Structure formats: structure tokens, C-alpha cells
């Protein structure tokens, strides 16, 4: 089973930036589409961004133009660069395979204050 470890979260003011990282424990990562999800308090988990094994990217409308997903297959790591952060981006952020999820990691908290 692949283990996922997210990091890079924190507290920032609106307009600030953060870069999240997610390290996978297996090279099987390289053959899979990966995604970032987020879950705000009291809400369901939602898809934020997706990157295919070949590097094509897709974004939720709410983050398009502000967030950038990327991956480094040599390091089994996927990144999420978040710019122009808004208070509504506050959530716990998780990475996982786009479908047929592996065991979820602990996530990383992102808090954006106005």
C-alpha cells in the first residue's frame, strides 16, 4: 500500500502564497494520475487539481489561475503552488491518486485570514 505524506501548509494572510508537497512511498506513483483535494470544516472533500501521469493538468474553477499542480516523478512527489490565497481556501489539503484512492494521509492545514 502506498503511503502519502503531505506538508507545506500554514497560516497566511489573504493574497499570500504557499507551496504544498506530497511524497509517495512507492515508484508506482509515477504511473498514476494524482490529485490534490481539500476539506473545509463541515464540508465534503472536494477535488482541487489533477495531474495526469503525462503531466496534463486540470483545475477546479475556484482555483483556476491561482493554483498550479506539478509533479517530480524522480522524487515521487506532487506539488501544489497556491498563489493569491483567499479565506475560502482554508481547509485541510490532501493528495491522492485521482481515482481508486490509496490510504489517505494526514493532510496539511491551510489557513487564510482576511
Amino acid at each position: 500500500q502506498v503511503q502519502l505524506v503531505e506538508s507545506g501548509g500554514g497560516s497566511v494572510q489573504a493574497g499570500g502564497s504557499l507551496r504544498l508537497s506530497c511524497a509517495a512511498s512507492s515508484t508506482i506513483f509515477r504511473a498514476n494520475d494524482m490529485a490534490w483535494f481539500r476539506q473545509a470544516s463541515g464540508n465534503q472533500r472536494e477535488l482541487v487539481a489533477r495531474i495526469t501521469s503525462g503531466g496534463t493538468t486540470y483545475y477546479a474553477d475556484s482555483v483556476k489561475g491561482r493554483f498550479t499542480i506539478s509533479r517530480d516523478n524522480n522524487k515521487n512527489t506532487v506539488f501544489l503552488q497556491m498563489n493569491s490565497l483567499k479565506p475560502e481556501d482554508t481547509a485541510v489539503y490532501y493528495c491522492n491518486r485521482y481515482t481508486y484512492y490509496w490510504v489517505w494521509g494526514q493532510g496539511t492545514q491551510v489557513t487564510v485570514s482576511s
Side-chain angles (χ1 to χ4, degrees):
Q1 183 64 271
V2 177
Q3 293 183 326
L4 301 165
V5 179
E6 299 94 347
S7 62
S11 296
V12 297
Q13 291 194 331
S17 298
L18 287 171
R19 188 185 193 220
L20 308 184
S21 299
C22 171
S25 63
S26 170
T27 57
I28 195 174
F29 160 92
R30 303 173 185 179
N32 286 276
D33 291 7
M34 295 297 295
W36 282 96
F37 303 83
R38 67 186 180 188
Q39 186 169 19
S41 180
N43 290 356
Q44 291 188 333
R45 192 170 292 168
E46 63 175 353
L47 175 67
V48 174
R50 169 193 172 197
I51 185 166
T52 69
S53 57
T56 302
T57 58
Y58 303 89
Y59 298 93
D61 286 345
S62 58
V63 306
K64 202 171 294 183
R66 301 187 297 120
F67 290 12
T68 303
I69 188 171
S70 60
R71 66 192 297 162
D72 183 339
N73 286 336
N74 291 325
K75 296 182 179 179
N76 298 334
T77 301
V78 61
F79 304 98
L80 187 68
Q81 177 66 44
M82 306 187 296
N83 298 328
S84 302
L85 282 161
K86 303 176 180 180
E88 51 262 44
D89 295 320
T90 295
V92 179
Y93 284 70
Y94 303 86
C95 74
N96 211 317
R97 192 161 51 172
Y98 176 59
T99 56
Y100 302 103
Y101 305 139
W102 295 316
V103 174
W104 292 92
Q106 83 287 351
T108 186
Q109 175 71 48
V110 172
T111 302
V112 185
S113 58
S114 57

